[in-house]
Structures are given as C-alpha cells and as structure tokens.
Amino acid sequence: RVAVMRQILRFGCGVAVVLAALPAAGRPPVPEPTPRVLDVAKHDCNRVYGAGFSPDGAVAVVVAAKERGRESEPVLMLWETATGRHLRTLRGDAASGGWFSPDGKLIAFRDEKAGEVVLRDVASWREVRRLKHPQVSTVGFAPNGRLLFSSDLPRIGRSHLRVWDIATGELKDRVELPA
C-alpha cells in the first residue's frame, strides 16, 4: 500500500500555493513527490487563506480571496495535483472553507451570507444540496460519507453541532456543545 503524502505551503501574500502529493493506494508509486505551483494570481486572487486535498490526493482545494482595500471577495478553487491544472472556480459569498467527502466525490463549503452549508459534486460542479446552518464555522464528513457534521460559532457561550443525512438533507441531530 502506498501512503499518501501531501504538503501544502501557502505564502503570506497568497499569490501562489506549492504542493506535492504521492498517489493513494492502488495507484502506481511515484519515486518522489512532484511540486506544483498553483498561481492563484492568474485567477484574479491576491490572498490565500487555506488549502487541502481530496482523500486520494488528486485534487487540491484552495480557499482564496480578491482583496480590494477593506473589501474581500471569497474564492474557492479546485486544482488537479498531478498537473497543476486549474479545474474550477467559485466566487462570492458561497466560497468559504472546503471539505471533501471520504470518497472525494463531494465538496462541502460555507455560504456565509445565506447561512448554509453547500454540497457540490466535484466532477460536474453541480450543486447537490444546501443545509441551513446560520453562523456555521466548520464542516466535516463521517468516515462512511453518509453523514455531514457542522458546527457554529459560539453565541453567548454556546455552540451547536448538527448532524445531517447527506442523501436526504434531513437534520438528524442537534447537540449543544459545552462552552
């Protein structure tokens, strides 16, 4: 079994992201990782806030922004790690965070303006579902890929964890988290 090695370096000014990845189990081994420079500046962005990989290391998500003075337009970009090729861009309020499902087929992110978690199909970029969660701060998938967890920012010392059924969009549980 080949282990996945992922490394992302982001620069303070955010104009480029350097990454390297080895293929996941079942793919031919690569003797050394191949560095890729993902030049977000070519896509009208000047700040990188974060980045991550799909579970198999084939796709990188970059959370960036186009900053103009005090204004900032969020941008979510997908890149193919093997080639450094830009795949997709989503701009605007619906572009904050970026979490892959365990099988790498879905990506979840926050639409901060609407107060929702948005699920998209990575291959088609089709919107699959929106889950209402005001002030959502973090999102994660269950290992089986059937449930999605979202938590909000603490309000008056309290925050909540919500558990969603991905297939139906049904809220399965809401748990108050201790302060």
Side-chain angles (χ1 to χ4, degrees):
R1 182 180 165 127
V2 178
V4 176
M5 194 226 26
R6 304 165 193 157
Q7 182 179 12
I8 296 181
L9 305 171
R10 52 191 161 121
F11 299 97
C13 63
V15 294
V17 174
V18 179
L19 61 95
L22 288 176
R27 295 199 180 175
V30 176
E32 292 189 26
T34 306
R36 299 282 179 229
V37 176
L38 309 180
D39 191 352
V40 300
K42 286 184 178 178
H43 299 277
D44 200 28
C45 294
N46 57 6
R47 171 78 60 195
V48 172
Y49 291 108
F53 284 98
S54 61
D56 65 359
V59 178
V61 59
V62 176
V63 181
K66 170 66 175 180
E67 293 185 347
R68 295 174 295 272
R70 291 184 174 198
E71 304 222 353
S72 179
E73 177 189 31
V75 179
L76 184 84
M77 291 182 271
L78 297 182
W79 301 77
E80 184 178 71
T81 59
T83 63
R85 182 173 64 95
H86 174 258
L87 300 173
R88 304 195 184 279
T89 296
L90 181 68
R91 293 182 173 278
D93 294 312
S96 183
W99 298 271
F100 285 96
S101 62
D103 63 7
K105 293 181 180 180
L106 295 176
I107 190 167
F109 52 89
R110 299 183 306 255
D111 180 337
E112 292 176 354
K113 189 173 184 179
E116 295 174 328
V117 176
V118 181
L119 293 167
R120 282 191 183 261
D121 180 275
V122 173
S124 69
W125 208 233
R126 179 182 62 84
E127 187 174 294
V128 174
R129 187 162 317 289
R130 285 182 170 260
L131 307 169
K132 191 71 175 169
H133 192 157
Q135 296 186 326
V136 64
S137 63
T138 58
V139 175
F141 287 88
N144 67 10
R146 291 189 214 127
L147 299 175
L148 182 110
F149 303 94
S150 60
S151 65
D152 52 39
L153 297 170
R155 287 178 270 170
I156 313 171
R158 290 187 266 180
S159 64
H160 296 89
L161 174 73
R162 296 181 189 197
V163 181
W164 305 91
D165 182 303
I166 293 173
T168 66
E170 176 188 356
L171 179 63
K172 303 292 277 180
D173 202 357
R174 183 174 185 253
V175 179
E176 187 173 315
L177 301 173

